[in-house]
Amino acid sequence: MDLRVAAASGPAEGSADRPLPLPLPRPGLKTPPMRVLFVANVDFALRHFILPLMRGARARGHEVVAASAEGPLLDLPRAEGFTVFPMPVARSLSPRANWRA
């Protein structure tokens, strides 16, 4: 194989320089609803970063629940009708405590 021709044609299909293209959704094809669980280690992260994602997923017809450490900032997601499961999350470097959570 002539290397000058291969180099001129660009990177190989699916290489790191040129990823494979994602298939486009077909018109009229609806994705079946999913059950989505969002997990946050603290209520602040759930309220300020994950709640917009939860709203978007629910707007697309998915069933959305969350799990987070209990805190006062979970009142808003619950008021909007989301189920938020309390989860004891260890905020330490202890692998045993994190595994329990």
Side-chain angles (χ1 to χ4, degrees):
M1 178 171 129
D2 187 2
L3 294 178
R4 288 173 289 162
V5 173
S9 65
E13 184 77 19
S15 71
D17 296 331
R18 185 173 162 212
L20 291 172
L22 295 174
L24 296 174
R26 295 187 305 213
L29 183 67
K30 186 173 178 170
T31 306
M34 297 183 288
R35 299 178 76 189
V36 182
L37 169 65
F38 287 95
V39 180
N41 61 341
V42 292
D43 60 335
F44 182 87
L46 184 83
R47 165 61 184 93
H48 293 289
F49 302 118
I50 297 178
L51 184 58
L53 300 173
M54 294 170 61
R55 290 174 180 148
R58 182 171 61 184
R60 287 172 179 76
H62 304 297
E63 179 185 345
V64 178
V65 296
S68 174
E70 193 61 51
L73 296 176
L74 297 180
D75 293 341
L76 181 61
R78 288 181 173 140
E80 291 185 18
F82 291 108
T83 301
V84 180
F85 296 107
M87 181 178 72
V89 179
R91 302 250 353 217
S92 70
L93 296 176
S94 168
R96 182 174 289 155
N98 288 325
W99 179 255
R100 258 185 274 144

